[in-house]
Amino acid sequence: MGKKKRGHPDVEELLARPWCYYCERDFEDLKLLISHQKAKHFKCDRCGKRLNTAGGLSVHMNQVHKESLNSVENALPNRQGLDIEIFGMEGVPEDIVQQHNQRIITNFYTAQAERHAATGNPPPGQSGGQGPAKKIKIESSNEIKKRLAEHRAKVAAQKAAAANGTAIPSPVDGQSPGQGASPFPPPQTGFPYPPPGAAGAPPFPPAQAYAPPFPSGPSPPPGAPGAFNLPARPPTNTAPASNLPQRPPYFYNGSGAPPSGYPGNASTVDELVASAARQGDDIDQMIRMAEAGIKPAGKNGAAEEAGGEKKTKKDKEKNMRMVYADTEISPEEKMALLSRYSYIPQE
Amino acid sequence: MAPATQFEVAQPPNDAISALVFAPDAPNRLLVSSWDKNVYLYEVVDGAEEANLVKTYEHRAPVLDVCFGANQGEAFTAGLDRLVKRIDLVTGEQTILSKHNEAVRCVVYSPKQSILISASWDSTLHIHSTDPSSSQQHLTIQLPGKPHALAASPSKVVVAMTARLVHIYDLPTIATALASSSAATISPWQQRESSLKFLTRAVSCMPNDAGYATSSIEGRVAVEWFEDTAESQARKYAFKCHRQALPDDEGGGDIVYPVNALAFHPVHGTFASGGGDGTVALWDAEAKRRMRQYQKFPDSVAAVGFSSNGKYLAIGVCPGFETGMENYSGEGRTKLFIRELSETEAKGKGSK
């Protein structure tokens, strides 16, 4: 214990991060989350006013623009409702909180397993003993991102293949090492970890496997000893589509996320989140930078550090585009020069 | 409370609108000057949501400004033909009052002093007496820059020029000088630098003679007071308006439109601004609040004006001239809207 030299936050830290109900993004602190919500979800598209809540925006649209608001902008498909009043982390339904935490935990352990597999290091508390320890390979964040991208591409390719009906049982080795090679079960599953690529694992009873998506009540964590007496589903995405029944989409009830193996599903959620956030807001960009602790390079740095709340005046001037920009000659003078309006004195 | 209604005038000018003004003594009479070389006289029909075209007055060149004279039967125009004209609205007779060396941009009439002032791109003001008994032609005042906007309050005239120059003249002083026909004695009552960094687009004076508002091509409006005390000058302020936030995938920032028109409400002292973004907003100058912003019009708002009783707001809409336009035409897209205001619509809450 004690040492936190690795750059990876632990689960508690991850779970403590405030996150946005509408788009599942998480933030360094509550202030950033609130400014994100005001900028992305509670901003009036007619006049740019930033309101505090969806209800506030709805009232604003009604009173100021005589229009009605139907959905929250930039929200995930099943979270656009105006009926829930969200402000920062307040008002998020308990079941959604559970789902979110579950996703964080799962992602965390997946990432951890991947790391362990990649470095060859045993997780803390367990001594290795399978051969000489590998040299610690320190990856830069870019490399990690690259690998993540590769992983996602693979998942996507598999999904595509599955969709085409050509279920390709992919070789275990081809998988992200975290899936196939890690001998350590993710702690949250109380079940023995089935052999990797266990195509021969007892098939799920179809009736249960095709159970409808969870109702909006608190959802059990994946693989938890829940209502079904099922063996733990191998948390790999190697599950050949031909053999194992598909699990219903787990996180987004009724969102129609493509059925796929579990990590694949998680990455779908990530993709959803990413796509929701993709319309690169510059505020978002700044928040992201603030989160990453990156000081924006150069001139405007000081102001933007403030957390994306305020840009300097200069910065704004730079960004503005004037429809008419001649500061010496008026539009009328220019119009007067046009042949259709020109006047030739009769002299 | 009468509901607020808005309607489009059936026979708008054929080309871009340059100015519009309601008669001081007839709240339903409206004059509109246009780049199609005509001045249009409309009569708003109370309660019928329509305005009839009464008469048109043709000029030899596009008309840049129009104002009423002493009563609803008299008007003055300024145009690209460099002439300042008096028009008898009943007979249609046109009389040339003076000739500038360049196009005449604005005309303004002061009923109290019976003075007509015209401002031309030849950087002069012409001061005319409209008193028929006066044989005096006109006085010429040299300006340090090209005038772009002109407005009169009961006792002052504000001239906004290039290079952010703003000169304020005292009308009684002008009247005295006119009587003794000595232009040399006329000097600005105040010389100011515009509070706005960009080219002034419009000026309008408060009906209570306390101050004026200016607007610029850079989506901004400034409100200032005449009184030259530190206290009064500290009250002046400026604000941004008529802008549109760009979607972030286009780089963010704002599209900034010129604020083409300003008009004070004659009763409540609030004012309306019309911008290149096609919106009209009502502002409370005292409380520094926006009271209302109306639904977007199909094109840039070129001119706004309140009727003398404050019941109607006329809005001239035509394509805005933007940087780089080489074949501008307002033809077919010029529209005239009249909004009948409810009693409290333009009433400010007062400063807190």
Side-chain angles (χ1 to χ4, degrees), chain B:
Chain B
M1 192 175 76
T5 54
Q6 181 176 302
F7 61 91
E8 191 181 330
V9 175
Q11 293 166 280
N14 296 318
D15 205 338
I17 289 172
S18 54
L20 59 80
V21 63
F22 277 97
D25 57 346
N28 294 5
R29 292 244 144 177
L30 173 68
L31 273 176
V32 179
S33 61
S34 164
W35 286 81
D36 72 0
K37 306 183 185 180
N38 284 306
V39 171
Y40 297 78
L41 177 66
Y42 294 95
E43 173 87 26
V44 181
V45 185
D46 277 322
E49 290 197 18
E50 58 176 38
N52 298 325
L53 180 60
V54 179
K55 219 172 161 91
T56 58
Y57 309 91
E58 196 177 353
H59 288 59
R60 281 167 48 212
V63 189
L64 293 186
D65 200 6
V66 65
C67 70
F68 273 94
N71 55 60
Q72 57 167 306
E74 180 183 50
F76 299 100
T77 61
L80 282 190
D81 57 6
R82 306 176 180 180
L83 301 176
V84 181
K85 285 193 201 171
R86 176 187 180 278
I87 298 174
D88 187 316
L89 294 177
V90 181
T91 63
E93 185 194 346
Q94 301 186 4
T95 325
I96 296 170
L97 289 185
S98 74
K99 189 170 188 306
H100 283 270
N101 297 323
E102 288 291 338
V104 193
R105 176 65 186 89
C106 335
V107 280
V108 68
Y109 179 75
S110 164
K112 208 172 163 190
Q113 324 286 345
S114 303
I115 290 175
L116 176 77
I117 300 169
S118 59
S120 157
W121 288 335
D122 64 6
S123 299
T124 60
L125 292 181
H126 282 186
I127 316 276
H128 315 83
S129 171
T130 55
D131 185 349
S133 64
S134 150
S135 57
Q136 175 63 41
Q137 280 280 301
H138 64 262
L139 291 180
T140 304
I141 300 177
Q142 198 62 41
L143 297 172
K146 272 188 189 177
H148 290 300
L150 183 69
S153 75
S155 72
K156 305 281 183 288
V157 167
V158 182
V159 190
M161 292 162 277
T162 41
R164 300 170 56 218
L165 294 161
V166 175
H167 282 191
I168 304 169
Y169 291 88
D170 183 52
L171 277 170
T173 313
I174 289 182
T176 319
L178 191 60
S180 61
S181 64
S182 51
T185 61
I186 304 179
S187 57
W189 175 68
Q190 274 181 28
Q191 302 189 17
R192 292 188 183 180
E193 187 178 59
S194 168
S195 321
L196 304 171
K197 288 204 184 88
F198 289 81
L199 187 69
T200 310
R201 197 80 184 91
V203 177
S204 185
C205 290
M206 297 180 192
N208 64 3
D209 215 2
Y212 61 95
T214 57
S215 69
S216 77
I217 56 166
E218 189 247 349
R220 230 177 261 263
V221 170
V223 179
E224 299 185 33
W225 278 263
F226 287 131
E227 200 185 326
D228 198 13
T229 61
E231 202 179 86
S232 271
Q233 290 312 303
R235 285 163 70 204
K236 72 179 176 192
Y237 62 91
F239 58 91
K240 289 191 269 190
C241 50
H242 299 284
R243 286 154 187 253
Q244 214 168 48
L246 270 177
D248 295 303
D249 46 14
E250 287 171 37
D254 282 341
I255 307 181
V256 179
Y257 294 91
V259 181
N260 296 326
L262 292 172
F264 272 91
H265 190 280
V267 182
H268 300 307
T270 53
F271 68 96
S273 66
D277 57 345
T279 62
V280 171
L282 281 187
W283 308 89
D284 185 338
E286 290 289 322
K288 303 188 186 176
R289 294 277 147 98
R290 184 174 74 191
M291 301 188 297
R292 244 160 258 274
Q293 171 147 355
Y294 299 121
Q295 288 277 324
K296 246 184 199 271
F297 291 96
D299 266 309
S300 167
V301 175
V304 292
F306 286 103
S307 64
S308 59
N309 58 2
K311 188 176 169 188
Y312 296 110
L313 172 63
I315 299 144
V317 175
C318 56
F321 186 89
E322 299 177 1
T323 300
M325 278 194 184
E326 267 159 28
N327 37 17
Y328 176 91
S329 164
E331 231 170 299
R333 282 167 67 187
T334 298
K335 294 191 166 78
L336 181 60
F337 293 90
I338 311 265
R339 186 174 180 89
E340 187 178 341
L341 304 177
S342 66
E343 267 141 56
T344 54
E345 194 167 337
K347 192 167 184 222
K349 291 201 176 86
S351 51
K352 279 169 198 152

Side-chain angles (χ1 to χ4, degrees), chain A residues 39-40 43-49 60-61 63-67 74 278-284 311 313 315-347, chain B residues 14-16 35-37 60-62 64 80-83 99 105 121 146 148 162-163 197-199 201 217-218 220 240 243-246 248-258 290 292-293 295-296 321-323 325-331:
Chain A
K40 296 290 287 188
K43 185 169 164 183
C44 172
D45 61 349
R46 303 211 118 242
C47 68
K49 188 179 165 88
H60 163 87
M61 292 293 277
Q63 292 183 338
V64 180
H65 307 298
K66 314 275 181 259
E67 284 173 21
N74 303 321
R278 199 166 294 143
Q279 301 110 342
D281 202 24
D282 44 6
I283 289 184
D284 260 5
K311 294 181 180 179
K313 228 176 183 176
D315 201 40
K316 270 192 181 157
E317 314 271 271
K318 246 183 246 161
N319 258 337
M320 74 183 199
R321 287 171 219 179
M322 285 171 65
V323 149
Y324 184 83
D326 197 315
T327 59
E328 286 300 313
I329 297 163
S330 66
E332 284 75 17
E333 284 170 276
K334 298 210 169 170
M335 281 169 73
L337 294 176
L338 301 175
S339 58
R340 64 179 278 121
Y341 298 122
S342 67
Y343 168 73
I344 298 107
Q346 305 166 328
E347 276 172 286
Chain B
N14 296 318
D15 205 338
W35 286 81
D36 72 0
K37 306 183 185 180
R60 281 167 48 212
L64 293 186
L80 282 190
D81 57 6
R82 306 176 180 180
L83 301 176
K99 189 170 188 306
R105 176 65 186 89
W121 288 335
K146 272 188 189 177
H148 290 300
T162 41
K197 288 204 184 88
F198 289 81
L199 187 69
R201 197 80 184 91
I217 56 166
E218 189 247 349
R220 230 177 261 263
K240 289 191 269 190
R243 286 154 187 253
Q244 214 168 48
L246 270 177
D248 295 303
D249 46 14
E250 287 171 37
D254 282 341
I255 307 181
V256 179
Y257 294 91
R290 184 174 74 191
R292 244 160 258 274
Q293 171 147 355
Q295 288 277 324
K296 246 184 199 271
F321 186 89
E322 299 177 1
T323 300
M325 278 194 184
E326 267 159 28
N327 37 17
Y328 176 91
S329 164
E331 231 170 299

